[in-house]
Each structure stands twice: as structure tokens, then as C-alpha cells.
Amino acid sequence: GRYLLDDPDTKAILDAYGIPTVPTRAAATPDEAVAMAAEIGYPVAVKILSPDVVQKSDVGGVSLDLDTPDAVRAATERMARRLAELKPDARLDGFIVQAMARNPEAHELIAGAATDPVFGPVILFGQGGLAVEAVNDHAVALPPLNTVLARDLIARTRVARQLAGYRNHPAADLDAIAAVLVQVARLIAEVPEIVELDINPLLADANGAVVLDARMRIAMADRAGNALDRLAIRPYPVELEEVVPWQGGTILLRPIRPEDGAAHVAFFNALTPDDVRYRMFVRVRELQPAQLARFTQIDYDREMAFIATRTGPDGHPETLAVARVVADPDNMSAEFAVTVRSDLKGKGLGVMLMNKLIAYCRARGTREIVGEALPQNAPVIGLVKKLGFTVGPVDEDEGVRKFWLELR
């Protein structure tokens, strides 16, 4: 029967998703608050617990740096009186007792989620604190997030410049902030009952990030449908990952992710100039940031890019080959491209990825797969013939050979 979860309940859910929170307890009476303070350890902060009060400080409902049982008892009794005077109709469910996390070097941030009528769940990040509305510094992104997208979200706010460090203030732990945003996005994606989440403040400094206050609004969800249908962007399809034998070992075939950016640059740099021209149809010396984002940050509903990857000699993942397909809005036709690292051609990677790509398109109901190549690109033309594609003559106007495969 409740649709607004208070701070302790919300933090319990955040804890379950590995989001760091300040130790927090709920107490029904001043005596319980004293007991909870002893359990947490002094000093503590005490706040009123009322479903009818959103901004606790507006009614004198916050006391900080309490370091004795008498101070806790006096603060709770004073809060109860103030609430009765200022909002006599407000319910008082008790008090929140939490460990003090005062750090003058920390940044007060806001993180959370809301539900947009068009795009569904959206993730919010920006500068937080009591003046959050007046500052109005925030950016939004669509879930799911990963580290790359979370850091992009952070970078689109004004507070990002402060988080990078200034004067004698060290830089905040951006990885820790990004990790919170990634887990918030995961929580929102996986639990459709959550329609609003407000974390304010999220304290962040050079040592990490921790949630001080949080609240959550929930609604009944239709479990009969697919919870992922709420999302504007399809999450990473982990079910498409596949470990296969290759060259006496194993490699992983999987969809590409934004985190593959560095490996994709190394893959591109390992291609010969002719292979780059065969793939791009023009000579390109290096990938531009916009091109890299276009190749690695994809909409899995409209396109798919499978990579063959393994752990390289330096311990980092290396990309060996890529097969990509982009469907039209009606999913009638999908255009593909395939590229194998120049030093690994003729070892079966192209056939392996293309078979996976064809099976994926067939499962999605795509009617046909089409592609084109320069006439000199004999390896790709030979590959598609082996896979059953129909190969047309050279198009005199465009200077390419086109090929297609009908999917039954």
C-alpha cells in the first residue's frame, strides 16, 4: 500500500545493487534513536521520518554531528515539536539515524531516475545539495549505461569541471561516480516497479562516492509483459555471447560494446591501407572520435556488430574481426559489412562471424541481407559466394559489386 519509499528502505535496495550508502537505521521513538546511534557509532545525524515531508530541513528536521545519547534524544524531541508546530497534519513515523559523513572536500551531487512519457526511464546526474533547483545543473541519459556512457553523462554537466580538480582540491573519483550511475541504470532497467529515484546528495571525493539521502517512488508493474519493453534503448544482449574453438584455443564471439573503443582503434590500426579502403571505400588514416563512437555505441534494436575477441599478450582484450549489420526500419532488408584483421585472414574468422550474423538476422525475421564491395576485394566476394549469396555484376555507376542473401 505504499508508493513512496523512505530513506532507509531505499538504501536497502541500493545496497542490494552494490551502491555505497551511509549506514542508516529507522527508529520509531527517541529511545530507539538513541539505541540505533549506539549501534552505528557516534557521531551521527538524525532526521525526521515522515511521508508528508520531502525537504526535511524546511521543518527543522535535520540535526548533524550528534555525539552523545542526550544530544540524540534532545534532537528527536525538538524535531517532533517543530513538525507539530509547522505541519500539524504531517504524519511522524519516527526518525532516521545515520553515520556522519561530513567531508568539506566532497562534492554534493544528485543522481537518480525518472520516467518520461515518451522515452520511458531516464537517468539523471548533476550538481546536488539543498540548492539543486536553483543551480539547475544536470544532464540525462537513457538506460542501460556502461562506464563509457556514464562518464559521457558526467562530462555533460558544469560540475564535471569541479570534479576534475581545481586549485588545492584533488580530483574526485570519477570511476566511483560512474559505477554508481551504471548500477542505478541497471536497477531501473531490471525493476520496472521503480518509476522515480532521487539520490541527493551523493557525496563524492578522491576516495569514492557514497549515498547520503535517497528516496524512491514505485508503482505496480505489469509482469505479464517484457520489462525491457519500457526501455528506449535495448540493453546489451548478453545471451548472444558465444565461446567457440579456434586455432587450438578459444575465442569469444559477442556483440560490440562501448568499452571496446580502445581495442577497436588497435584493430583498425592493424589493418593494411588496402583493407581500410575495402571497408571504408576511401583511404582513411585514423578513426575519428565520432566514427569510433558510431562503430562501438550502437542501437541493438536497429543494428548489430559481432566481434571475435580474445585476451591479448598484454592481458587486454583484442579484437580480431568484426561483422556488422544495419536493418531498415521495417526489418525487411539489412546491410552488412565484415572485416578481419589483416594478419589473420584465411583462418575462418570471417565465415564464423558471418554465420552468426546470418543466424541472428534470420531469428529476427529479416527478409534479406545485402552488401557491396569494391571489385578488387576478392576475399569478401569469395566469402559471400561460399555462404550462398547471389553476387551481381559490377555496378558501372557506383563502381562496386552488390550481393544479397534471401532468408527463409
Side-chain angles (χ1 to χ4, degrees), residues 20-86:
T21 64
V22 171
T24 303
R25 303 286 187 274
T29 66
D31 286 339
E32 282 189 19
V34 171
M36 294 298 178
E39 180 181 322
I40 292 173
Y42 292 99
V44 297
V46 175
K47 307 170 185 180
I48 58 169
L49 183 56
S50 170
D52 303 314
V53 177
V54 176
Q55 297 295 343
K56 301 175 180 63
S57 57
D58 291 347
V59 295
V62 179
S63 289
L64 307 177
D65 289 310
L66 305 176
D67 53 8
T68 67
D70 288 342
V72 171
R73 183 174 286 103
T76 55
E77 292 172 349
R78 182 172 60 252
M79 288 178 191
R81 289 194 303 270
R82 289 277 293 170
L83 183 63
E85 293 171 0
L86 297 175

Side-chain angles (χ1 to χ4, degrees), residues 227-238:
L228 298 182
D229 289 343
R230 303 159 46 247
L231 304 180
I233 297 177
R234 182 184 175 193
Y236 173 77
V238 65

Side-chain angles (χ1 to χ4, degrees), residues 17 118-121 142-145 185-193 221-239 299-301:
Y17 270 73
V118 175
F119 294 100
L142 297 173
L145 296 181
R186 181 183 167 205
L187 169 63
I188 297 303
E190 294 181 354
V191 186
E193 289 86 355
D222 181 9
R223 285 292 185 177
N226 184 355
L228 298 182
D229 289 343
R230 303 159 46 247
L231 304 180
I233 297 177
R234 182 184 175 193
Y236 173 77
V238 65
E239 69 277 4
D299 178 356
Y300 297 115
D301 270 329

Side-chain angles (χ1 to χ4, degrees), residues 5 15 78 111 195 199 202 213 220 224 292 307 354 388:
L5 301 189
D15 284 337
R78 182 172 60 252
V195 295
I199 297 173
L202 172 70
D213 291 298
M220 297 303 294
L292 181 62
I307 65 171
M354 281 302 299

Side-chain angles (χ1 to χ4, degrees), residues 163-396:
L163 297 175
Y166 59 98
R167 293 185 181 176
N168 295 325
H169 294 264
D173 187 342
L174 292 180
D175 288 336
I177 301 171
V180 169
L181 294 173
V182 168
Q183 287 302 94
V184 165
R186 181 183 167 205
L187 169 63
I188 297 303
E190 294 181 354
V191 186
E193 289 86 355
I194 301 173
V195 295
E196 184 179 320
L197 172 62
D198 183 16
I199 297 173
N200 184 22
L202 172 70
L203 278 192
D205 60 16
N207 298 314
V210 63
V211 175
L212 252 61
D213 291 298
R215 63 184 180 88
M216 181 181 292
R217 189 164 62 87
I218 60 174
M220 297 303 294
D222 181 9
R223 285 292 185 177
N226 184 355
L228 298 182
D229 289 343
R230 303 159 46 247
L231 304 180
I233 297 177
R234 182 184 175 193
Y236 173 77
V238 65
E239 69 277 4
L240 296 177
E241 292 186 351
E242 180 184 6
V243 177
V244 297
W246 184 72
Q247 297 290 301
T250 60
I251 57 174
L252 176 63
L253 307 184
R254 63 165 174 82
I256 202 165
R257 299 184 301 219
E259 293 93 332
D260 294 315
H264 205 76
V265 170
F267 169 74
F268 179 86
N269 291 338
L271 299 176
T272 65
D274 278 345
D275 282 343
V276 172
R277 185 168 62 89
Y278 290 156
R279 172 63 183 91
M280 311 286 282
F281 294 102
V282 294
R283 296 195 179 276
V284 178
R285 292 186 177 182
E286 62 180 2
L287 282 180
Q288 299 302 311
Q291 292 174 307
L292 181 62
R294 175 68 188 85
F295 288 146
T296 59
Q297 299 179 27
I298 66 174
D299 178 356
Y300 297 115
D301 270 329
R302 280 290 311 278
E303 61 183 306
M304 179 55 66
F306 289 115
I307 65 171
T309 180
R310 68 181 177 187
T311 302
D314 59 357
H316 296 292
E318 61 176 353
T319 298
L320 312 178
V322 182
R324 184 180 307 272
V325 67
V326 181
D328 63 31
D330 297 322
N331 197 33
M332 298 294 290
S333 179
E335 185 174 357
F336 86 95
V338 59
T339 309
V340 177
R341 207 172 75 184
S342 299
D343 61 329
L344 297 176
K345 288 184 176 181
K347 300 181 184 297
L349 288 172
V351 172
M352 199 179 300
L353 281 177
M354 281 302 299
N355 280 329
K356 188 171 182 68
L357 202 65
I358 291 169
Y360 170 80
C361 289
R362 183 174 282 119
R364 284 178 57 86
T366 308
R367 297 290 294 273
E368 68 170 356
I369 303 176
V370 301
E372 58 186 32
L374 295 174
Q376 310 94 296
N377 194 350
V380 165
I381 295 172
L383 171 64
V384 297
K385 285 182 176 179
K386 182 186 298 186
L387 294 170
F389 280 72
T390 300
V391 179
V394 176
D395 186 311
E396 297 297 338

Side-chain angles (χ1 to χ4, degrees), residues 107 109 125 154 157 159-166 170-172 174 177 204:
H107 301 270
L109 307 172
F125 172 79
I154 296 168
T157 61
V159 75
R161 294 192 290 271
Q162 298 179 33
L163 297 175
Y166 59 98
L174 292 180
I177 301 171

